[in-house]
Amino acid sequence: MTEKKKSKKISANDAWKILFDRYNIVDEINKNGIFYIKSSDIKEVKEPRLMAKWDNSETLPAIMSKNNVNILSTSRSAYALSDFLVYKDLPEIEGRVVNVNCDKLNDFETINLDELTSEAKAINVLSISGILDQFLGTPPNTVTFNGRMGTGKFEFYIDTVSNEKKLIKVNNAQCEVDAGFENDESVVIMEAKNVIRDDFNVRQLYYPYRLWKEKVKKPIRLVFSVYSNKIYRLYEYKFNDLEDYSSIELVKSKSYSLDDTKITTNDLKKVRKETTVCNDDNQNKNDVPFIQADSFERVIALMESINYEPRTTEDIAEIMDFEKRQSDYYFNAGKYLGLFEKVDDMDDGEKKRIVVLTKLGKKVRNMNYKDRQLKLVSLILEHKVFADSFDYVIESGEIPNREFIKNKMREYNVCSESLIERRASSVSGWLNWIFNLTKL
């Protein structure tokens, strides 16, 4: 077995458990404030690049999350571990989506708005369409740099769970810029994602910011971009203190789309009226497990990810920043709606199971924004728990409480009592997604 396959065989969480025990990491942090570990030490257990890049708190290995431990690179061959507060919440963007009409995109044969399946493709359209110019108010913004680069030398302070600032010294660590732009007034550094998350690792903006602050005279503007489900969500940030990682502050945020995103309550009522409720999800009759995936936006993001390239559940976990079990949850959520399926595939003579879109999944994936959302609502409302809950919202004007949802789940026997609390949370999440469509 190759080293690469060995490295993937063990999970990052189990690998970190080994390292925590081997080096008494928690005790060392409690005693010295920070524990430093070499890449070579990590590599004895698992490839460092798979062990040190946690772009949001949800994907952090359980052993680290449990002990309030986060990781920061200090060079190309070393990392610092401590109770660093490395993440920043991504707030909900208030106000409606701005619809941008960009006919000039039709002039490009190589651009297909239904195939923006990577951050790079989304950035290209963001730039060409003028959305970035509109957001920043400083056109034109021209791409001038991107890729991996060394950070140079700098030091900074960072807040911690223990309420003390800790000093970190960086000596030519590696950072990556998804896109760097320049306009007449400023330099713009962008971090881009194609999955909506609750927070992000500030390092992704701070390390490139410190690097380019030493290189250019113009002010630097920092943009975090999320493109998912045909909507760009743009956030501009700034650091109030150059040497304070934790001084990050949101300047402004806005959502944009090249599609019509207006959906009304009457649109939803029409879908409900035209949808045949055909599935009670009874666990004794249904071979598809009831949903355990709170974020419906991530179901959509997964649909977009696997549209043109079949994925294994391990691939999905890596691409979507999921743990393996989350990958299974979100696959099952798509299967529940008839969007995903698993088929056998041969890879180097070895049979493996891959996730693909069903015929229905492909059809939904290629719809425009409004038609896609309403079709997804219809697929959800085919299930009795959701249809009854939807009717409750229309009659009462509010999302049903958890007890109402759990009682409906018991009525239709959708899962065991031990799972009902967790899965009721997913029902609530999907209902919120449906009715938030009218607010975009």
Side-chain angles (χ1 to χ4, degrees), residues 61 77 86 121 129 139 153-154 159 174 198 208 247 266 289 350 388:
S77 59
V86 302
K121 290 179 180 179
S129 66
K153 295 179 68 171
F154 61 88
D159 290 349
Q174 184 172 275
D198 294 332
S247 68
N266 284 336
E350 181 180 344
D388 289 357

Side-chain angles (χ1 to χ4, degrees), residues 251-376:
V251 177
K252 62 178 179 178
S253 59
K254 199 76 178 176
S255 297
Y256 297 85
S257 181
L258 297 164
D259 273 9
D260 175 17
T261 58
K262 187 175 181 181
I263 292 175
T264 67
T265 302
N266 284 336
D267 290 327
L268 298 179
K269 289 179 179 178
K270 185 172 184 289
V271 169
R272 172 67 180 95
K273 183 178 180 181
E274 295 174 352
T275 298
T276 300
V277 182
C278 57
N279 198 326
D280 63 9
D281 299 322
N282 189 307
Q283 63 176 327
N284 295 326
K285 300 185 298 182
N286 199 327
D287 64 346
V288 180
F290 193 75
I291 61 165
Q292 189 167 333
D294 289 359
S295 171
F296 195 75
E297 285 286 356
R298 290 181 206 166
V299 177
I300 298 172
L302 180 53
M303 178 178 68
E304 292 177 326
S305 172
I306 65 178
N307 185 40
Y308 294 100
E309 185 177 347
R311 312 283 190 185
T312 64
T313 51
E314 290 78 14
D315 292 336
I316 290 169
E318 185 172 346
I319 293 166
M320 302 288 290
D321 283 337
F322 285 161
E323 292 182 10
K324 174 65 167 57
R325 60 183 175 82
Q326 280 184 301
S327 179
D328 290 333
Y329 294 157
Y330 279 88
F331 162 74
N332 284 328
K335 184 179 179 182
Y336 176 83
L337 299 177
L339 302 172
F340 309 156
E341 62 182 344
K342 287 184 179 179
V343 298
D344 290 330
D345 187 47
M346 298 299 292
D347 181 24
D348 294 331
E350 181 180 344
K351 186 166 77 172
K352 63 179 181 179
R353 298 284 281 172
I354 58 172
V355 178
V356 298
L357 293 186
T358 61
K359 184 177 179 180
L360 172 63
K362 292 175 182 176
K363 180 180 177 181
V364 174
R365 172 64 182 83
N366 292 328
M367 290 177 173
N368 63 33
Y369 175 86
K370 185 171 181 177
D371 289 342
R372 178 198 283 185
Q373 312 316 301
L374 296 179
K375 181 60 179 177
L376 290 168

